[in-house]
Amino acid sequence: MIKMTKTSSIALAGAMALALTSAVPAMAAGDGPEIAKKKWSFSGPGGHFDKNQLQRGFQVYKEVCSTCHGIKRIAFRNLVQPGGPEFPEDGVRSLAATYKVDELDGNGKVVQRPARLSDRFPSPYKNEAEARSIHNGANPPDLSLIAKARGVDYTGPIWYHPVSMLKDVVTGYQEGGADYIYALMTGYKDNAPAYRRDATGKLTEVAETSIQRGDKTILRCVSVEKVAGKPDNCTAMADGMNYNMAFPGHQIGMAKPISDGQVKYTDGTAATVSNYSADMAAFASWAADPTHDQRKSLGWQVMLYLLVTSILLYVAKKRLWREVH
Amino acid sequence: MDQHESTYKPGSRTAKWWDERLPVMRMMHGQFVDFPTPRNLNYFWTFGGILTFCLAIQLVSGIVLAMHYIPSADLAFDSVERIRRDVNYGWLIRSMHAVGASMFFFAVYVHIFRGLYYGSYKAPREVLWIIGVLIYLVMMATAFLGYTLPWGQMSFWGATVITNFFSAIPLVGSTVVTWLWGGYSVTGTTLNRFYSLHYLLPFVIAGLVVLHIWALHVAGQNNPTGVEIKTKSDSVPMSPFAVMKDLFALGVFAMLFAWFVFYAPDYLGHADNYVEANPLVTPPHIVPEWYFLPFYAILRAVPSKLGGVVLMFAAVAILAFVSWLDTSRVRSTKYRPVYRWFFWLFVITCLALGYLGAKPAEGVYVFWARIFTFYYFAHFLLVMPIVGLIETPKPLPRSITEAVLGKGAGAGSPVAAAASPEKR
């Protein structure tokens, strides 16, 4: 009898644990492109930001991304704080001074003064309307929360989904945003995939290497839909759009932002798009979560405290109940 | 409060003075120190205490968050980011509150399924159970209102979808929705009133919890055998026995809680809620928080809007009637060889509906959502009444003491012989 209770108790506990992990909307939407999980210095419970990587990421942001994207939630002082890029304070002070911020003078007139450590990064635009007029109607998103506002959809088989979710909980997987940013920045292709239509109207993808120059039978399709009783439908890329492997729908307004050698690193890191992308993804992750390192290090202390307390409580409970059972 | 007399003895003259004027210590002593607790409770019975802890965490963290949060369409999102970035330990308080909502629901689901498995809703605990269903309902309302406050995309569109349910009410639907919104769409006005109500409802929950515990202490706790306490040897005093066990379970629960707070704070949320609310951009999938997904699946399984809304509310309301829908003479599913299978089928159904609620409402997902929605209701309306009538339960132990210590232990008790409710 007692054994049976144990089994059903364990089953009920298991079912509850599954209920907690198996119903996560962000992971379950499941229609985005497959994006690989990368190993980051800030992955998992023991992870922390690599300040050199954050410094390189900031360099990429400043020299490339900042032309179009703001980071309005980051103040200059954040660049000095522990757990971040930890630039020397004097350097950041003079960096801030190169930016201008609005201020009211004694006569009520708007004047501009050099930014201070306590100021936040000014937007590259006066307002949203200006941003849209410059970018063909699009508004480049602010990057200070982008790493949390993006994620990776689960694309594997349905039966593995609960296992994958449980794994994400146990490993503390929170780097979906960084993985997405890396995949996006490295996911540009010159063209949409090439297809050739056969006599029945069916579209078949062809390898880039097998295409002859000027081949008129090649179709470039962002997506292909099967239509019952009709030739396959090819959706061509819209004007002014770019093909990207990671972007949902594969058509992105932003042109390929960066190429090999564009940013000169001073610490010997290879100047490749892959490194730029990883460094920028790390920087964006920090910008979205500047207290990350503090959170994870405090976490261990809390967990350890709770573990020891629980063990002591368990021992006390055992001794107490010995006289009852 | 109940038949149980407090054995409180004032230890000092001051205590005696108080005891003659307001015997609150006597009541606390009787209800929470020497209160007789069945000696065979398993760890599923620790979730009542865990839930009280969850409510306390939500209240304390919420009150602190309210000191920094700004309920306005223009500033709400920014104020939450200020809390995360610039308030001392704001990231921790905010994370505890957001994760805490999920932990609260996790614990309440364990608590509810425990009640369903061991028949804790059966006489004389019907009122206790119904108060519990009310707490669950108010919890859902509070969680929904709270989720709109960060004013992210999912906050905004979730609020839009849920409030639109009320437009399905015939004749007055759109008037009701306009009244809820305080305008003709979800705006800052809506946010402001949601904030006010989000602050109010937890205190309603606290009041209901007092009634819930009161009713519990009148009937006494159920236990895994479903056999009531008959003799003194069937129970142990709540303190220190049950209290120490509860504290240990709370420690383990706190570790799970802390794991999410520190290492997966965003796991249970949605990435879209880190995008500020924008009435002009609809997210590709609008999904509620995980704890609402089974009901969301039921809503979308029905082709008519009114039908879906009615069925969704019925899915919660039906819980209030299980005391009368279940015709079984024995409480605990442990002694119900047939019903046990249906119980686990019901658990699977709820998990499956949760999964389907996160999927888009199209194709094969809708088909399965309908199958599981059918079983969800069939479980209450068909399985519970019918299985209770046709099933022959296994023999019950004559007393709790016998169940714990084996046959013969509790046999000396005169009441034990009368207990064979499984025999019709």
Side-chain angles (χ1 to χ4, degrees):
Chain A
M1 199 65 87
I2 285 164
K3 189 165 176 282
M4 206 163 53
T5 327
K6 276 246 165 74
T7 334
S8 42
S9 300
I10 291 165
L12 191 52
M16 289 305 160
L18 203 62
L20 183 64
T21 55
S22 70
V24 177
M27 305 287 162
D31 55 357
E34 196 169 340
I35 288 169
K37 290 181 182 173
K38 240 175 103 69
K39 178 89 190 101
W40 301 94
S41 76
F42 48 96
S43 293
H48 52 84
F49 287 117
D50 169 1
K51 76 170 191 186
N52 296 320
Q53 184 175 39
L54 293 186
Q55 294 192 353
R56 293 195 302 271
F58 176 70
Q59 192 186 350
V60 173
Y61 167 74
K62 190 172 173 297
E63 292 180 19
V64 184
C65 315
S66 69
T67 323
C68 305
H69 296 276
I71 37 166
K72 62 178 179 185
R73 294 178 202 283
I74 293 295
F76 291 97
R77 64 181 160 80
N78 293 137
L79 297 175
V80 184
Q81 281 168 359
E86 297 179 16
F87 283 113
E89 189 173 325
D90 290 343
V92 177
R93 214 181 280 278
S94 31
L95 171 79
T98 64
Y99 289 80
K100 297 277 178 284
V101 291
D102 287 349
E103 197 179 52
L104 285 181
D105 69 3
N107 304 319
K109 268 178 38 187
V110 178
V111 292
Q112 291 206 313
R113 63 156 172 84
R116 292 189 282 258
L117 283 181
S118 55
D119 287 312
R120 286 163 204 274
F121 273 83
S123 166
Y125 311 102
K126 286 196 194 75
N127 47 50
E128 189 183 324
E130 191 195 53
R132 288 193 189 274
S133 79
I134 294 172
H135 296 288
N136 199 15
N139 181 21
D142 184 88
L143 296 183
S144 36
L145 264 177
I146 204 78
K148 281 196 182 285
R150 298 291 183 273
V152 175
D153 286 337
Y154 177 76
T155 49
I158 182 169
W159 60 267
Y160 188 71
H161 201 172
V163 184
S164 153
M165 285 188 283
L166 205 58
K167 223 169 105 183
D168 287 348
V169 171
V170 172
T171 57
Y173 176 69
Q174 294 278 283
E175 293 76 41
D179 287 335
Y180 174 81
I181 294 166
Y182 177 82
L184 186 91
M185 288 180 71
T186 55
Y188 279 87
K189 291 269 179 289
D190 294 338
N191 270 311
Y195 290 85
R196 192 171 275 134
R197 204 184 280 284
D198 67 13
T200 63
K202 190 169 169 294
L203 287 167
T204 322
E205 193 167 350
V206 271
E208 294 291 336
T209 47
S210 67
I211 301 170
Q212 304 282 320
R213 185 180 286 273
D215 185 343
K216 289 273 193 273
T217 64
I218 290 294
L219 287 165
R220 296 279 173 184
C221 312
V222 181
S223 67
V224 167
E225 295 103 55
K226 307 249 171 268
V227 191
K230 282 187 185 162
D232 289 352
N233 191 21
C234 167
T235 309
M237 203 144 58
D239 264 357
M241 299 301 262
N242 307 276
Y243 190 84
N244 189 290
M245 307 272 281
F247 193 71
H250 299 303
Q251 293 193 76
I252 185 169
M254 176 169 81
K256 187 174 191 291
I258 199 164
S259 324
D260 285 347
Q262 191 172 336
V263 174
K264 304 275 178 274
Y265 281 152
T266 52
D267 65 352
T269 306
T272 61
V273 168
S274 173
N275 284 342
Y276 296 152
S277 307
D279 295 346
M280 180 55 208
F283 176 73
S285 300
W286 167 78
D289 199 1
T291 53
H292 166 279
D293 282 15
Q294 190 194 0
R295 164 161 64 82
K296 285 184 177 172
S297 69
L298 180 62
W300 279 119
Q301 297 166 46
V302 172
M303 293 301 286
L304 194 66
Y305 171 82
L306 288 174
L307 182 70
V308 172
T309 310
S310 300
I311 291 171
L312 291 176
L313 287 168
Y314 182 73
V315 171
K317 185 253 162 198
K318 268 282 171 208
R319 291 187 63 150
L320 191 65
W321 280 77
R322 212 159 44 195
E323 53 186 276
V324 181
H325 282 311
Chain B
M1 229 169 181
D2 71 318
Q3 308 87 337
H4 165 72
E5 264 313 312
S6 176
T7 57
Y8 176 69
K9 292 210 173 43
S12 66
R13 282 176 62 183
T14 323
K16 193 165 180 297
W17 188 89
W18 268 108
D19 195 47
E20 282 156 4
R21 285 157 182 82
L22 183 65
V24 66
M25 288 309 291
R26 177 173 297 277
M27 186 197 78
M28 294 306 278
H29 187 89
Q31 297 306 318
F32 302 103
V33 178
D34 61 13
F35 189 78
T37 307
R39 62 191 286 169
N40 62 335
L41 297 185
N42 61 32
Y43 276 102
F44 286 113
W45 263 266
T46 60
F47 277 84
I50 286 170
L51 282 161
T52 315
F53 167 79
C54 287
L55 180 61
I57 290 274
Q58 291 307 90
L59 280 167
V60 173
S61 59
I63 288 169
V64 177
L65 286 175
M67 296 171 187
H68 301 279
Y69 171 77
I70 306 167
S72 113
D74 293 334
L75 298 172
F77 189 86
D78 287 344
S79 74
V80 173
E81 278 308 308
R82 286 282 188 139
I83 291 170
R84 285 189 56 233
R85 290 158 192 268
D86 294 335
V87 173
N88 288 337
Y89 290 98
W91 58 270
L92 178 61
I93 301 162
R94 133 101 185 164
S95 188
M96 278 169 69
H97 199 70
V99 169
S102 281
M103 291 295 135
F104 206 160
F105 274 94
F106 168 64
V108 92
Y109 284 132
V110 176
H111 195 64
I112 291 172
F113 279 105
R114 189 271 288 151
L116 287 173
Y117 187 85
Y118 293 111
S120 301
Y121 47 83
K122 293 180 82 69
R125 298 186 180 83
E126 302 95 324
V127 172
L128 165 63
W129 174 265
I130 289 169
I131 295 169
V133 175
L134 286 176
I135 293 173
Y136 176 48
L137 195 67
V138 183
M139 266 178 73
M140 290 170 95
T142 311
F144 158 69
L145 294 169
Y147 193 62
T148 58
L149 302 188
W151 210 238
Q153 273 290 67
M154 223 33 106
S155 298
F156 179 88
W157 290 97
T160 304
V161 170
I162 307 283
T163 46
N164 257 315
F165 291 166
F166 295 93
S167 71
I169 303 169
L171 302 173
V172 294
S174 62
T175 315
V176 169
V177 173
T178 308
W179 179 72
L180 285 173
W181 284 340
Y184 297 99
S185 64
V186 174
T187 60
T189 315
T190 322
L191 174 64
N192 218 328
R193 59 185 55 193
F194 278 17
Y195 176 58
S196 169
L197 294 172
H198 182 70
Y199 207 110
L200 168 72
L201 290 186
F203 297 99
V204 175
I205 294 179
L208 287 168
V209 166
V210 170
L211 294 181
H212 193 61
I213 295 174
W214 185 354
L216 171 73
H217 281 222
V218 171
Q221 281 162 296
N222 185 27
N223 64 79
T225 64
V227 178
E228 295 289 349
I229 294 177
K230 287 161 188 155
T231 58
K232 210 165 161 34
S233 71
D234 285 347
S235 71
V236 288
M238 181 162 168
S239 178
F241 294 97
V243 169
M244 192 50 86
K245 195 168 173 175
D246 279 0
L247 283 176
F248 165 61
L250 187 59
V252 175
F253 182 81
M255 283 167 73
L256 175 77
F257 197 129
W259 184 268
F260 277 98
V261 167
F262 290 104
Y263 300 120
D266 294 318
Y267 180 83
L268 297 159
H270 197 293
D272 271 352
N273 230 25
Y274 279 106
V275 180
E276 191 167 357
N278 184 349
L280 303 176
V281 179
T282 318
H285 299 294
I286 303 174
V287 276
E289 291 278 86
W290 68 268
Y291 38 82
F292 292 141
L293 288 173
F295 301 104
Y296 196 53
I298 290 173
L299 169 83
R300 298 185 306 169
V302 185
S304 113
K305 183 176 177 183
L306 179 61
V309 172
V310 167
L311 227 54
M312 186 185 69
F313 282 107
V316 183
I318 203 165
L319 285 168
F321 298 95
V322 291
S323 310
W324 297 280
L325 289 168
D326 182 2
T327 54
S328 169
R329 293 269 192 98
V330 302
R331 290 200 184 94
S332 175
T333 304
K334 206 170 139 184
Y335 304 103
R336 301 186 60 188
V338 180
Y339 180 73
R340 175 182 304 175
W341 294 99
F342 288 103
F343 175 83
W344 289 109
L345 185 57
F346 180 69
V347 173
I348 292 166
T349 297
C350 292
L351 291 174
L353 283 172
Y355 182 80
L356 293 165
K359 291 288 179 189
E362 57 197 31
V364 70
Y365 298 130
V366 176
F367 171 79
W368 283 108
R370 286 179 183 163
I371 299 282
F372 285 115
T373 300
F374 173 78
Y375 184 73
Y376 184 94
F377 286 99
H379 182 83
F380 292 109
L381 297 173
L382 299 174
V383 172
M384 277 193 160
I386 294 171
V387 174
L389 290 176
I390 59 172
E391 176 184 52
T392 311
K394 292 182 186 169
L396 294 181
R398 281 184 294 173
S399 69
I400 294 172
T401 312
E402 185 190 293
V404 175
L405 302 176
K407 274 212 176 343
S413 131
V415 252
S420 280
E422 76 275 14
K423 296 207 176 72
R424 275 175 193 275

